[in-house]
Amino acid sequence: MHEYTIEPWDHLVDSATSEADLEQYVPPELEKLAYEVISNYDMTVSEMTLITSKPDKGGAIWKIETNHGPRSIKVLHRQPTRSLFSIGAQAYVVQQGARVASLIPTKENHLYVQAGGKLWIVTDWVTPLEQLMKIDLEGASALCYGLGEFHRHTKGYIPPAGSKKSSRLYRWNQYYEKMIQKIGWFRDIAHAYPETVASPHLLSVVDKFEQQAFEMYEKFKQSAYRKMIAKGEAHWGLAHQDYGWSNGQQGPGGIWVIDLDGVSYDLPIRDLRKIITSTMDDMGTWDLEWIRGVIDAYHQANPIDQETFELLWIDMAFPNEFYKHVKEVVFEPVTFMNTELDAILDRITLTESNKWEVLSELAKDKEKYPPGDYTEEEVIYDVTPSAVVLGNTELLVKNNNEFKTSDTSKAQQNVPSTFEEPKESKSKESEVKKSLQERESLRSRIQRRRTEPSLKSKSSSNKDLLVDLDLLLKSILEDDLPKLLKKMNEEKPSKALKNTERPSSSKLVKIQKSNAEFESIVAKVQRKKLEYEQKTKEKK
């Protein structure tokens, strides 16, 4: 194969090219490489149609017409070792009977090809497939029954040698702590930009959502989560992480699950929670009958116990949709608060009006489910893969499941008291506590200044606000800025395009975009600080 390294091509944007247009385009070098990959398979391709691409990540999928019928060829955008985890999962669940497209082996009986620094797979093209109606309870129940089937078939998965394991099983607390911290940031940003349209609106609701997050986090810490994750990753299996109305479709025999690129070890009901809360957000109200229907459908396919139901309830009770829709304020505060945020907050507030009434009634359903047993010996699935070597990676071609038992005490030793993944440093706990303490300290200062303005002089008030802005800037520098700089460093200009009418690479456009993000995250807050300093000097 010719030397071509697959890289993102989303920098190929100008005023005449929309994001949607870019998703229907791949560089000609990538298409040429796809044909070279096809040559590794025992098939003749008569037609190849691009279905969609991920220009910001370097992935794409085509439908191909072959002498064996329709198939798909896909370049996985993640690092090869991470993609290997997903490929192994896809091969495993097909063996277990899941409705997932089968991987087509190469002429050498490999389940993938490595080319351009990425892994490629060819699968059957399942037809016909039909998206279900999310508002319709019958369609939603079918979708969630299919999700339960998929989760049941993932239990016992052991990734192939050489792959990079993906696991979120031990990280639920980190997600919640991050949510609490960022909601505090929302308040700080609203105070920093009081002249924006949505600033008063955001300040009027943020306390309520922050309090919800704190209360639910306390409930989470009292839940059976630690006992549940002690069962281990193979016991729980995989969550899809992006399951929904496009990645779960009605097909031959039931629901077919599509796009397993992002599967990860997790408590699988996180997938179910995302479907429920996002659909309630779309519907504009919380529907008790709808929620009960989809949970019951899921339970029929993959039975849940009381502890799992309680954790699902807690996860639903967190202000997930508020957090998801408002977190963009961190990156473009002025533009976002002046254009979109006000309407978003109106919709979220309306949707949430009956949320707690529904959740209170739903909590009574806990008794419908049997108690779980997390005291018996854990069953561990031990797989000895029959692997083949292709390039520098290995792939599990055949799974031979053998079972062995281990006592629960060993499993418990692997679960730290802070809920963290076993291999991670316990220093993370102190960092989180410190961050939350700073968050609470800043919250208290702002609240004190709002409720006791007469006790402070103007100069003192300005001084306090400068301290608050310093803390906000410090938080941004420690969290978001390193991620942005890493992203900027990883972005490299693609090779020049040839024989195409698509726009050429424009490094300047990309630099301008990165500079704009940098400005929104740091410089705008810094500028506010300087403005207050200047005003203070003038008054003196």
Side-chain angles (χ1 to χ4, degrees):
M1 296 186 185
H2 73 288
E3 296 182 2
Y4 168 67
T5 301
I6 302 171
E7 296 176 345
W9 56 88
D10 59 328
H11 58 281
L12 303 178
V13 178
D14 62 14
S15 59
T17 307
S18 68
E19 184 176 341
D21 291 336
L22 202 57
E23 290 179 356
Q24 295 301 315
Y25 167 77
V26 296
E29 294 91 344
L30 182 61
E31 187 168 325
K32 180 179 179 181
L33 191 58
Y35 278 105
E36 293 186 27
V37 170
I38 288 172
S39 68
N40 289 270
Y41 292 83
D42 183 17
M43 62 183 180
T44 302
V45 176
S46 58
E47 184 180 349
M48 186 166 77
T49 304
L50 178 67
I51 301 303
T52 188
S53 70
K54 294 184 177 180
D56 60 327
K57 298 178 180 178
I61 182 171
W62 295 262
K63 180 181 180 181
I64 53 178
E65 299 295 337
T66 79
N67 56 324
H68 298 291
R71 289 177 172 176
S72 72
I73 179 171
K74 184 175 187 178
V75 54
L76 307 179
H77 69 269
R78 290 178 170 84
Q79 290 296 316
T81 52
R82 173 62 178 87
S83 294
L84 192 59
F85 179 90
S86 301
I87 293 173
Q90 187 157 348
Y92 177 80
V93 297
V94 168
Q95 285 185 345
Q96 307 308 307
R99 294 186 187 87
V100 173
S102 298
L103 294 162
I104 305 299
T106 67
K107 296 174 183 177
E108 301 298 326
N109 203 34
H110 301 158
L111 295 185
Y112 66 87
V113 172
Q114 185 171 4
K118 304 288 185 180
L119 299 191
W120 299 67
I121 58 173
V122 173
T123 68
D124 289 325
W125 187 273
V126 181
T127 186
L129 289 178
E130 178 184 5
Q131 287 195 32
L132 299 168
M133 294 292 293
K134 65 173 64 178
I135 304 300
D136 176 58
L137 180 55
E138 182 179 356
S141 296
L143 183 78
C144 292
Y145 183 90
L147 177 64
E149 286 186 314
F150 172 74
H151 286 160
R152 190 180 73 246
H153 288 127
T154 68
K155 294 179 179 180
Y157 172 60
I158 301 294
S163 66
K164 181 180 179 180
K165 181 182 72 174
S166 177
S167 179
R168 300 183 183 183
L169 182 66
Y170 307 101
R171 298 178 180 175
W172 281 47
N173 62 302
Q174 295 176 20
Y175 169 76
Y176 293 143
E177 288 164 359
K178 179 181 178 180
M179 181 189 298
I180 292 170
Q181 181 186 52
K182 290 292 181 69
I183 290 176
W185 288 15
F186 301 164
R187 179 189 296 102
D188 301 337
I189 292 171
H191 277 295
Y193 299 96
E195 72 281 2
T196 57
V197 173
S199 175
H201 197 170
L202 180 56
L203 290 172
S204 72
V205 299
V206 68
D207 288 352
K208 177 184 70 174
F209 289 113
E210 184 181 55
Q211 186 62 31
Q212 289 177 10
F214 274 121
E215 291 177 0
M216 289 306 107
Y217 188 59
E218 289 303 314
K219 284 185 176 294
F220 167 74
K221 290 191 292 185
Q222 301 301 318
S223 73
Y225 172 72
R226 288 188 60 225
K227 294 180 181 179
M228 294 167 71
I229 62 176
K231 301 297 286 184
E233 292 162 333
H235 172 85
W236 292 103
L238 305 168
H240 186 282
Q241 304 297 343
D242 192 29
Y243 187 82
W245 313 97
S246 60
N247 288 332
Q249 297 192 28
Q250 184 71 42
I255 298 295
W256 286 74
V257 181
I258 304 168
D259 191 7
L260 272 62
D261 295 15
V263 293
S264 178
Y265 285 122
D266 204 345
L267 293 176
I269 47 101
R270 174 56 62 82
D271 280 342
L272 183 60
R273 191 278 296 166
K274 289 179 180 179
I275 289 176
I276 292 173
T277 57
S278 65
T279 304
M280 297 302 98
D281 184 50
D282 290 340
M283 293 171 64
T285 186
W286 280 63
D287 187 328
L288 179 62
E289 181 183 0
W290 191 97
I291 295 173
R292 277 176 168 160
V294 298
I295 294 176
D296 288 345
Y298 180 92
H299 175 65
Q300 291 174 28
N302 188 37
I304 61 177
D305 53 34
Q306 287 186 8
E307 291 80 359
T308 302
F309 179 84
E310 181 182 28
L311 203 57
L312 172 64
W313 189 95
I314 292 172
D315 203 28
M316 283 191 287
F318 269 90
N320 295 286
E321 302 307 307
F322 170 78
Y323 172 69
K324 180 176 73 173
H325 292 303
V326 179
K327 65 182 180 181
E328 292 302 314
V329 74
V330 174
F331 300 99
E332 289 288 345
V334 174
T335 301
F336 188 62
M337 287 197 287
N338 277 334
T339 57
E340 302 178 54
L341 183 55
D342 212 32
I344 289 173
L345 293 175
D346 281 338
R347 179 173 54 79
I348 291 174
T349 302
L350 180 62
T351 302
E352 294 266 333
S353 62
N354 71 327
K355 173 181 176 178
W356 293 99
E357 178 184 349
V358 169
L359 287 178
S360 296
E361 191 66 26
L362 186 67
K364 302 174 183 177
D365 291 358
K366 179 180 176 180
E367 301 303 321
K368 292 169 48 178
Y369 303 97
D373 186 355
Y374 298 101
T375 60
E376 295 181 359
E377 292 184 344
E378 174 190 1
V379 176
I380 295 180
Y381 297 74
D382 185 24
V383 177
T384 303
S386 173
V388 293
V389 177
L390 184 61
N392 294 321
T393 59
E394 296 181 339
L395 172 67
L396 178 64
V397 174
K398 184 178 180 181
N399 287 316
N400 296 311
N401 291 343
E402 297 177 357
F403 301 90
K404 66 181 182 181
T405 60
S406 67
D407 62 299
T408 309
S409 61
K410 293 181 179 179
Q412 292 282 5
Q413 292 172 7
N414 290 331
V415 185
S417 60
T418 58
F419 303 162
E420 294 177 15
E421 190 168 0
K423 294 184 180 180
E424 293 186 356
S425 172
K426 291 186 177 181
S427 64
K428 180 68 177 177
E429 179 185 13
S430 60
E431 292 175 4
V432 170
K433 287 182 178 179
K434 181 180 178 182
S435 176
L436 291 177
Q437 287 170 356
E438 288 184 353
R439 171 82 278 106
E440 181 61 27
S441 175
L442 182 53
R443 177 189 178 197
S444 299
R445 290 186 189 188
I446 295 172
Q447 185 65 30
R448 186 174 65 252
R449 184 167 61 251
R450 291 168 62 190
T451 56
E452 303 176 5
S454 59
L455 300 181
K456 288 185 175 289
S457 67
K458 292 183 179 180
S459 60
S460 177
S461 179
N462 287 335
K463 182 179 179 180
D464 271 5
L465 187 52
L466 290 178
V467 173
D468 295 341
L469 289 169
D470 273 337
L471 286 174
L472 174 59
L473 182 59
K474 177 176 180 291
S475 297
I476 292 174
L477 287 170
E478 290 179 350
D479 191 344
D480 284 82
L481 184 57
K483 295 177 183 177
L484 175 60
L485 292 176
K486 180 180 179 182
K487 176 183 176 183
M488 291 166 61
N489 290 332
E490 290 176 348
E491 290 169 343
K492 302 176 181 178
S494 295
K495 298 180 180 178
L497 301 180
K498 298 179 180 179
N499 302 323
T500 176
E501 297 181 356
R502 303 299 298 187
S504 62
S505 173
S506 175
K507 187 176 181 180
L508 179 60
V509 172
K510 195 62 182 179
I511 291 174
Q512 290 173 341
K513 180 180 179 182
S514 296
N515 285 342
E517 292 178 344
F518 185 91
E519 164 75 5
S520 68
I521 294 176
V522 178
K524 290 182 180 180
V525 176
Q526 183 67 23
R527 188 170 66 250
K528 280 289 182 181
K529 176 184 175 183
L530 294 175
E531 288 175 2
Y532 279 107
E533 289 177 338
Q534 185 62 32
K535 288 180 180 179
T536 302
K537 290 180 181 178
E538 291 175 355
K539 290 179 179 179
K540 289 181 178 179

